[in-house]
Amino acid sequence: MTGLVDCNNFFVSCERTLNPSLEGRAVVVLSNNDGCVVARSNEAKKLGIRMGQPAFEIKDIINKGQVIALSGNHLLYRAISIRLHDIFREYAPSTTDYSVDEAFLDMTGIPVDALEDIGKEMVARCWNDEHIPVTIGFATTKTLAKIATEYGKKNGVKVKVLVDRDEIGSILDRMIISDLWGIGRRLAKRLHAKGIYTIGDFARCPRQWVRSEMGVTGERSWCELKGEACIDLDHVDRNLQDSVSESRTFPIDIDDFDYMRSRIAIYCNHVARRLRAMGGQCEEMCVWLTTNRFHLERGYSAPTATTTFSPPTSDSSVIATTGIALLEHIFQPGCLYKRAGVVLNKITPATSFAPTLFEDGESQRIAVLRSKRLMNAIDKVNTKSNPQVVRLAVELTKGHVGHNDGYSSSFGPAKPL
Ligand SMILES: [Mg+2]
């Protein structure tokens, strides 16, 4: 049996440990530039606030006091996460930290009858020791454990042991296909076109069809739904951060798009490199700008743009290309910008398991492998002492703005960072 522990509304729950007056109120945590929503309390979910929603869209209800918006305190979340994972390890023979607020528990050798009590004790410990509410699902495979946890969270059941075939069938029939672990929005859309709306629909498809449509990884998900465990997580880095970001205040205000584009490309390349160094891949990225607060006649503005990656990526060129597209979206000619930054969010371990990689079949799988090999090669060439041997062309700009912000963007020998 496999378990999945998932902390409920983790960042908000962490904030509530410091400030109990947040209990029972609509609370959101914003990404580290305060650009978009990265965590929501149940009360905030009920108000219709979406994950990743830009903060300016909910400014009105924040100002009215209907929602409390907090800047993320990632050191706090990390500290609590490490202590929680230590608790998990006390109860399971072996655990895999999957993300800052999720861990898989390998319960091999423990009788199924004992799982509910063990789960309840873990829930109580997490609450008593750390004041964090968690939900635990147990099942025969990781995919079903994920489903059990989702079911538990939606139905207010803290520990869900999901082994009964009939019960599994009826739960799968009530869950939409895009809620299946590893199914991206694009793939879900494609499956909708084939008449597959629920996870139950998917589970009823013939195995051969799943294999030919979705490749071996789709087939793996299908097998897991049947109770056949076949997804292996690689060893997961405990130090995976929740987000990686880079931003700079410019020595002078910037209205030159080419210059801004090169800065965004440089930040993108840096955050992508850090993402790969910690063994992660990201699902979401955000680019933001702020104008100079003291230029009152122009009015202060802080535009942000966010997008998601499906499949998740750690490829510098994908991240830089996307970052520049986001910049084009928010950059207003004539505005003078003071700060700019890039944030990568929703970081998960870059494991071998990523079914969405295969939504376009073999060609996409090859593209992903190529990208990984290229990034590996670049990371080997760019050493700590000489980090700019290979760069993205878009980091370079011919225009000179006439100041040095510490980044080289001219052609010729690279300057150390
Ligand atoms: Mg969670």
Side-chain angles (χ1 to χ4, degrees), residues 250-262:
F250 304 119
I252 56 168
D253 296 345
I254 300 298
D255 62 353
D256 178 343
F257 180 79
D258 285 347
Y259 178 84
M260 190 69 89
R261 183 179 56 196
S262 74

Side-chain angles (χ1 to χ4, degrees), residues 64-77:
K64 281 186 204 147
Q66 288 173 289
V67 179
I68 299 167
L70 304 167
S71 301
N73 179 352
H74 290 274
L75 283 177
L76 170 73
Y77 311 152

Side-chain angles (χ1 to χ4, degrees), residues 56-237:
F56 66 81
E57 288 184 15
I58 54 168
K59 213 169 73 190
D60 285 351
I61 52 174
I62 293 172
N63 289 341
K64 281 186 204 147
Q66 288 173 289
V67 179
I68 299 167
L70 304 167
S71 301
N73 179 352
H74 290 274
L75 283 177
L76 170 73
Y77 311 152
R78 171 57 47 194
I80 294 176
S81 168
I82 287 172
R83 294 199 298 270
L84 286 170
H85 284 100
D86 285 342
I87 294 176
F88 306 156
R89 267 180 276 280
E90 287 179 37
Y91 292 89
S94 135
T95 67
T96 309
D97 301 355
Y98 183 62
S99 70
V100 68
D101 74 326
E102 283 173 287
F104 282 106
L105 316 170
D106 180 352
M107 305 306 277
T108 305
I110 294 173
V112 176
D113 295 350
L115 292 176
E116 177 132 13
D117 286 343
I118 294 172
K120 282 183 175 157
E121 221 177 289
M122 290 176 74
V123 170
R125 268 290 298 283
C126 293
W127 182 253
N128 294 335
D129 288 12
E130 300 298 336
H131 228 67
I132 298 292
V134 304
T135 304
I136 310 181
F138 290 106
T140 50
T141 67
K142 293 189 182 73
T143 303
L144 287 173
K146 273 252 181 201
I147 287 168
T149 308
E150 273 319 300
Y151 174 88
K153 282 203 280 189
K154 283 199 180 119
N155 294 280
V157 180
K158 294 204 167 71
V159 180
K160 179 70 192 168
V161 183
L162 189 57
V163 282
D164 183 80
R165 285 311 318 175
D166 291 342
E167 191 186 13
I168 292 173
S170 82
I171 289 176
L172 296 190
D173 277 339
R174 277 177 284 150
M175 289 182 79
I176 54 172
I177 186 68
S178 54
D179 283 350
L180 180 60
W181 188 28
I183 298 284
R185 269 182 304 178
R186 263 168 59 206
L187 183 52
K189 250 192 199 160
R190 233 179 66 194
L191 290 171
H192 289 166
K194 313 252 178 195
I196 295 163
Y197 296 98
T198 68
I199 301 180
D201 294 338
F202 173 68
R204 277 186 293 274
C205 291
R207 183 172 183 154
Q208 265 326 102
W209 184 86
V210 171
R211 198 195 165 96
S212 64
E213 283 289 315
M214 298 162 70
V216 67
T217 321
E219 188 182 9
R220 267 191 209 135
S221 288
W222 185 89
C223 290
E224 288 240 329
L225 291 175
K226 309 270 168 191
E228 187 190 321
C230 50
I231 291 174
D232 254 329
L233 295 172
D234 288 342
H235 172 73
V236 175
D237 181 0

Side-chain angles (χ1 to χ4, degrees), residues 9 11-12 26-42 44-45 48-59 61-62 67-72 74 77 284-286 304-308 343 345-346:
N9 317 324
F11 295 170
V12 171
V27 180
V28 297
V29 173
L30 302 175
S31 56
N32 39 3
N33 55 348
D34 288 354
C36 56
V37 174
V38 293
R40 306 160 297 162
S41 71
N42 287 339
K45 288 176 191 170
I49 297 172
R50 301 184 315 275
M51 201 65 174
Q53 187 163 8
F56 66 81
E57 288 184 15
I58 54 168
K59 213 169 73 190
I61 52 174
I62 293 172
V67 179
I68 299 167
L70 304 167
S71 301
H74 290 274
Y77 311 152
E284 186 183 280
M285 91 175 279
C286 178
T304 66
T306 303
T307 192
T308 54
V343 189
N345 282 319
K346 292 197 185 169

